[in-house]
Amino acid sequence: MAEAAAGAASALLDLPEPLLDLPEPLLLLILGALHDPRSRHRASMACRRLLAAERATRAAMALRGDPRTADFLLLPPAFCFPALERLDLSLASPWGHPLLSSASRVAGAPASSSSNHLALRPEEIAERNAYVAARLAAYFPAVARLAVYCRDPSTLASLAPCWRATLRAVKLVRWHQRPLDLPGGADLEPLLGACPQLAALDLSEFYCWTEDVVPALDAHPAAAARLTDLDLGLAGASNGFHAAELGAIAAACPGLRRLVAPCVFNPRYVDHVGDDALRSLAASCPRLTVLRLSEPFEPASTSQREQAGITAVGLVDFFAALPGLEDLMLDLQHNVLEAAPAMEVLARRCPRIKVLTLGCFQGLCKAAWLHLDGVAVCGGLESLCIKNCEDLTDASLGAIGRGCGRLAKFAIQGCNLVTSDGIRRLAMALRPTLKEVSVLHCRFLHTAACLAALNPIRDRIESLEINCDWEEVEQPSSSCLANGTTGSDHEDDEPSEMAYQSAPKKCRFSYLEMDNYESWEMLRSLSLWCPAGQLLSPLISAGLDSCPVLEKISIKVEGDLRTCPRPFHGSAFGLSDLGAFQALAKMKLDLSEAVGYALTAPTGHMDLSQWERFYLSGIESLLSLYELDYWPPQDKDVNHRSLSLPAVALFQHSIGLRKLFIHGTTHEHFMSFFQKMPNLRDVQLREDYYPAPENDMMITEMRAESCLRFEQQLNNRQFRQIPD
């Protein structure tokens, strides 16, 4: 249907308007089948009737550019989107700067005798902000879901009253430091005070303090009581909520159905979250269906983990009080012992549970006999993630594969007794359902063996994430899995040669063919981890050379480049090998954890500019690449993350790019290279590492005014030909 509608819309472009006399329902049907914004834009240019229909039916929009100087602020109120419900202002430029305060004069706003924004009086700034907010409300009168970058509370104070009657969900974004002079809760009070009908609040990308949440909720009890969805992820948070704070949040929001929050589970902390806190949470919010509690601290080593304040007995009472639970995350950094009985109670008392994420839960599935135990009895699970389980074995994975027959997503991290044999058992048992697999930081798993173990589902898997050692590792001996942890049983063992001989002919043939898949036929998303200085080519040749429908790839490089040997002349990381993936459209290349010398390097060492040349060489061969997210390498000694000249020059040759997001900064004159790229339409410099420097940019690098000048030149149709 979508392809037919797109073809019809393209055909309409060639018709003269007097001949276009289609019924209104047909026009709406054509636009309703077009979900891509660019396709809708092209269809709306066919005639005025399609333009009016597209404007009347548009449901979501993400604004780019600077709304304070944009020409659309001069348009009449009739130029509006009456049905638009989702508005995203979080990426409006200058990226990361206050939305409603700018050194540039607002188009059409009341004039002022002061030409310098810094000299404006507070009432003049408030008058300009109110004008922009009123124009946005006139163009988008029915906004129900809003995402906005809030550098300070003035943004919400201007925007929130405009949609007082319609606003139901808000996502706040801020990666800069919280202003130190703000009282507790000042960031949220303008929103809770102006929008009493607010039902969902998302702070997952909002840098603030945990002390800001409870005062704001206490100051507006009526608004807090109406909240049903509360995401307190607090991007970049180095601390979590204590038991008293978690109890206060639950008491203020008794109608919550979804709660996401970082918590302090460390038993050494005063008022840590334990059994009593979980019981209190369940008693205050009995209608919870999604609960995600995690510990935001750095993962503790195995020797440093202690017994958490959460026990299996407390979990039994907790699960019994939440019968409607569907999605549960308890990601701890300290051990919860003997968790198998609690998991069996979870399966019995919470029959709707479908998504489960557990961190540092020990004894989840012993698989000592033929019967299923622990998490393996949760037969309704569709997604399971297990982290840092010290006694999870290959037999445990086999039991999970037999018991959780509906699993479509499986993730494992830091389980050091699991080998490739266990991954293979799980893949064979869940071949009909498993679509997404993630394997991270397991001691006895290396990348090539893990790819080979996934052969049974190689033709069915759609998303794959591998973060393992590249070199062959010594497999555990039988003594490592002693004391009942092997859980060996005949049903979980690999089929023997005798079993092949006694099985039916068709069945024997299917077993033998499972290792002969030559292509990842359904793989659309791939995430890889590479050590610093390592080439990408060996990993591709290890089994990822044939991915015909791969659309998105994420590559993370981690390590100290200062200790890596200098690459020989002409060597490259291997991005050119990805040119064989004809459908590749999006790529994330994260070098943020690749540490090196920013400005000067000792004799015999390479600085970061040369390492960027090494990693980005060959990117011009990715002809189908449409969008690129790039994190430059950094020198942590000087907190320097900037795009170098070799990187800019290599990006310039990637002529197919349309969107380029750089998570760092660069010099202003380097950005002129990007204007020569014919298809590039969206370029942003995002300082979204937490917390971003308070002084924003170095004097010699891009600043707010530089970003605005570059954006105006990028969108100038008189001097730059834009195909569409």
Side-chain angles (χ1 to χ4, degrees), residues 90 106 143 342 381 404 449 521 623 697:
S90 63
V106 177
V143 173
L381 286 180
C404 305
E521 299 178 3
L623 302 179
M697 311 281 184

Side-chain angles (χ1 to χ4, degrees), residues 473-672:
V473 293
E474 183 180 355
Q475 297 299 311
S477 62
S478 58
S479 60
C480 298
L481 303 177
N483 300 325
T485 59
T486 56
S488 176
D489 58 77
H490 296 292
E491 193 165 348
D492 285 336
D493 289 337
E494 292 291 335
S496 62
E497 185 65 27
M498 183 177 295
Y500 286 134
Q501 297 296 333
S502 60
K505 184 175 182 180
K506 182 177 181 181
C507 183
R508 294 200 308 268
F509 185 75
S510 63
Y511 272 120
L512 294 174
E513 278 199 338
M514 279 187 178
D515 289 335
N516 296 327
Y517 292 121
E518 298 180 355
S519 173
W520 301 79
E521 299 178 3
M522 304 294 293
L523 188 62
R524 300 184 181 276
S525 177
L526 177 62
S527 180
L528 303 173
W529 172 85
C530 301
Q534 179 68 49
L535 299 179
L536 184 64
S537 306
L539 182 59
I540 300 299
S541 60
L544 292 172
D545 51 347
S546 179
C547 304
V549 296
L550 185 66
E551 299 175 353
K552 180 179 179 181
I553 187 169
S554 176
I555 303 174
K556 183 177 180 63
V557 179
E558 186 175 357
D560 194 344
L561 296 171
R562 296 170 294 189
T563 61
C564 296
R566 187 184 185 95
F568 60 87
H569 180 71
S571 64
F573 176 55
L575 290 184
S576 57
D577 294 340
L578 303 180
F581 304 147
Q582 300 296 327
L584 185 62
K586 298 181 179 180
M587 182 170 68
K588 292 184 178 180
L589 182 58
D590 187 355
L591 307 180
S592 59
E593 296 300 325
V595 182
Y597 297 102
L599 302 176
T600 60
T603 304
H605 293 267
M606 296 171 58
D607 58 20
L608 289 179
S609 63
Q610 298 303 314
W611 279 114
E612 279 195 291
R613 183 191 301 274
F614 168 78
Y615 280 106
L616 293 174
S617 293
I619 194 173
E620 68 279 357
S621 61
L622 306 182
L623 302 179
S624 60
L625 192 62
Y626 178 88
E627 178 179 328
L628 175 63
D629 279 75
Y630 177 66
W631 285 259
Q634 62 177 326
D635 187 346
K636 293 185 178 180
D637 295 336
V638 295
N639 193 24
H640 184 87
R641 182 186 295 175
S642 180
L643 199 65
S644 64
L645 179 59
V648 174
L650 290 169
F651 282 143
Q652 181 187 1
H653 294 293
S654 185
I655 59 176
L657 273 181
R658 185 176 178 88
K659 297 182 179 181
L660 176 60
F661 304 136
I662 301 169
H663 300 259
T665 183
T666 189
H667 299 276
E668 181 176 2
H669 63 278
F670 286 175
M671 302 292 284
S672 60

Side-chain angles (χ1 to χ4, degrees), residues 134-402:
R135 301 301 289 177
L136 289 173
Y139 298 143
F140 312 107
V143 173
R145 307 181 67 89
L146 175 68
V148 59
Y149 192 95
C150 294
R151 185 72 178 271
D152 52 55
S154 63
T155 301
L156 285 178
S158 301
L159 286 178
C162 298
W163 295 294
R164 176 185 179 89
T166 60
L167 208 56
R168 297 292 183 271
V170 173
K171 178 179 180 180
L172 303 183
V173 180
R174 179 172 68 195
W175 57 74
H176 285 88
Q177 295 181 7
R178 175 193 184 275
L180 298 178
D181 55 345
L182 289 180
D187 278 318
L188 304 179
E189 285 189 3
L191 177 64
L192 297 177
C195 302
Q197 303 299 325
L198 193 68
L201 178 60
D202 187 351
L203 303 181
S204 61
E205 297 184 26
F206 190 67
Y207 185 85
C208 67
W209 298 342
T210 56
E211 294 85 350
D212 290 327
V213 177
V214 176
L217 296 177
D218 291 341
H220 303 279
R226 291 188 179 91
L227 288 175
T228 60
D229 187 337
L230 185 58
D231 191 334
L232 302 176
L234 305 184
S238 58
N239 198 0
F241 294 98
H242 292 265
E245 295 172 323
L246 187 63
I249 293 172
C253 310
L256 284 180
R257 294 182 178 273
R258 182 177 182 269
L259 175 62
V260 181
C263 297
V264 177
F265 293 102
N266 193 332
R268 294 192 176 187
Y269 281 73
V270 177
D271 196 25
H272 66 274
V273 176
D275 288 342
D276 294 337
L278 292 184
R279 293 190 185 102
S280 176
L281 174 62
S284 300
C285 304
R287 293 186 291 178
L288 278 173
T289 59
V290 178
L291 178 62
R292 299 176 181 175
L293 305 180
S294 60
E295 200 161 9
F297 303 103
E298 291 292 331
S301 63
T302 303
S303 60
Q304 295 177 341
R305 293 175 191 163
E306 301 179 7
Q307 184 174 349
I310 296 177
T311 63
V313 176
L315 288 174
V316 169
D317 299 336
F318 178 62
F319 295 149
L322 296 176
L325 204 59
E326 299 178 4
D327 185 336
L328 174 64
M329 170 191 284
L330 292 175
D331 190 1
L332 283 65
Q333 301 298 336
H334 295 272
N335 293 328
V336 179
L337 304 179
E338 299 298 330
M343 296 298 104
E344 295 173 5
V345 174
L346 173 65
R348 185 170 60 255
R349 303 302 295 269
C350 304
R352 299 179 182 177
I353 190 73
K354 295 181 180 179
V355 180
L356 183 60
T357 302
L358 302 173
C360 284
F361 276 63
Q362 312 304 329
L364 284 175
C365 181
K366 297 183 179 179
W369 305 99
L370 292 177
H371 70 278
L372 301 176
D373 70 303
V375 72
V377 304
C378 300
L381 286 180
E382 298 178 1
S383 174
L384 176 61
C385 178
I386 301 176
K387 301 180 180 180
N388 302 319
C389 183
E390 300 173 8
D391 54 5
L392 192 75
T393 62
D394 295 344
S396 302
L397 294 188
I400 291 173
R402 290 187 288 115

